[in-house]
Amino acid sequence: GAVVSQHPSWVICKSGTSVKIECRSLDFQATTMFWYRQFPKQSLMLMATSNEGSKATYEQGVEKDKFLINHASLTLSTLTVTSAHPEDSSFYICSATPPGQGIGYNSPLHFGNGTRLTVT
Amino acid sequence: AQSVTQLDSHVSVSEGTPVLLRCNYSSSYSPSLFWYVQHPNKGLQLLLKYTSAATLVKGINGFEAEFKKSETSFHLTKPSAHMSDAAEYFCVVSAPGRLVFGQGTRLTINP
C-alpha cells in the first residue's frame, strides 16, 4: 500500500533556530501533500496544502513566513519552522494521496508517522 | 460546510466487551466518511471508509461502522475489545480538497 515517510520522528531545538521536517511519498508520486499540526490531546489542524511546483496554500491564521513549505519534487515536501519558539512545540504530521484517487471526496489520505518538535 | 462531532472525548471499556465510538456529521452533500486510529506519537492509520456504497462498512482489526443518513451518524463499533485497541480514534468527513477531523475519542481498555 501507499507509504508516506516523515523525518525526523522527533527533534529538539533551541529557541530562535530553524528546523526542517521532510515528508516523502515512497511508492507513489504526490502532486499534493498536506501538513497538519496536533497539540496534545487535540485533533489535527490543517496548516497548509503543499503543491508540487507552486506555492503552498496556507490556512487562515497560519504564518507562511514562519512555516515555510517547499514541494520541489513529486515525492518530497518539506516544512521548515523558522525562528522556532517554545509555543511552536507540537506534533507535526504530513499526508498525501496517490494520484488518480482525488483529494478529499472518497480518497483517504496516507499519513506519515509525525514529527515531535520540542523547542527549548 | 462539512463538520464532524465525536460525542465522547473518552471511552473506557473492559477487555472482551463491545466498543462504541460515536460520530455525527454535517455535510451539504453526500459525504465520504472515515475512521482513523492514532497510537501515541504515531501518524494516523485508516480503519475504514464509507463512500456511498454499502451503509455497513467493515474495516481492519474487527472494526465496523454504519452510515445512517437519517441520523447523520457514523458510529464505530467492535464486538470485543482487545488491549491493543487502546488509542485515539478520529472520525473524518470529506470536504472539497481536504478532510475535516473530529476532536477525537480516546479509547481505554481495562484488563
Side-chain angles (χ1 to χ4, degrees):
Chain A
V3 177
V4 175
S5 174
Q6 196 170 334
H7 178 80
S9 56
W10 60 270
V11 58
I12 301 173
C13 70
K14 292 185 177 180
S15 186
T17 61
S18 295
V19 174
K20 180 184 286 187
I21 302 170
E22 294 186 347
C23 180
R24 294 180 184 273
S25 54
L26 296 185
D27 53 0
F28 64 96
Q29 294 182 330
T31 56
T32 303
M33 293 185 176
F34 300 87
W35 286 96
Y36 293 86
R37 183 173 181 176
Q38 185 180 31
F39 290 102
K41 301 186 186 300
Q42 294 189 26
S43 188
L44 278 70
M45 293 180 57
L46 181 64
M47 297 176 65
T49 303
S50 172
N51 303 298
E52 188 270 335
S54 64
K55 292 182 178 180
T57 303
Y58 290 82
E59 295 299 299
Q60 189 173 8
V62 177
E63 300 176 59
K64 62 181 180 181
D65 294 330
K66 180 167 188 62
F67 298 100
L68 300 180
I69 292 174
N70 182 280
H71 195 153
S73 78
L74 288 171
T75 60
L76 174 64
S77 175
T78 61
L79 168 68
T80 301
V81 183
T82 63
S83 187
H85 291 281
E87 57 265 31
D88 298 325
S89 299
S90 191
F91 194 56
Y92 294 87
I93 305 175
C94 70
S95 65
T97 298
Q101 297 185 19
I103 299 291
Y105 284 98
N106 58 9
S107 171
L109 297 178
H110 299 275
F111 290 85
N113 278 330
T115 297
R116 172 73 59 193
L117 171 62
T118 301
V119 184
T120 62
Chain B
Q2 286 68 42
S3 67
V4 61
T5 302
Q6 292 182 242
L7 302 176
D8 307 291
S9 59
H10 184 209
V11 170
S12 181
V13 303
S14 297
E15 189 176 18
T17 64
V19 175
L20 170 64
L21 305 183
R22 299 182 295 165
C23 172
N24 286 353
Y25 71 90
S26 174
S27 178
S28 53
Y29 46 82
S30 296
S32 291
L33 293 157
F34 312 88
W35 275 98
Y36 283 88
V37 60
Q38 183 183 32
H39 289 92
N41 293 310
K42 295 291 185 182
L44 276 70
Q45 180 184 20
L46 179 68
L47 281 178
L48 49 82
K49 64 178 180 179
Y50 166 77
T51 57
S52 75
T55 56
L56 182 62
V57 181
K58 294 187 182 298
I60 62 172
N61 300 335
F63 285 95
E64 62 181 38
E66 186 172 8
F67 174 74
K68 292 186 177 180
K69 185 176 180 179
S70 61
E71 299 177 9
T72 61
S73 69
F74 190 57
H75 301 335
L76 181 70
T77 60
K78 182 173 181 177
S80 177
H82 190 274
M83 294 300 292
S84 61
D85 295 328
E88 189 85 15
Y89 291 79
F90 292 97
C91 182
V92 181
V93 65
S94 62
R98 67 181 59 192
L99 300 180
V100 177
F101 287 79
Q103 288 301 305
T105 298
R106 180 170 301 277
L107 177 62
T108 301
I109 311 297
N110 302 311

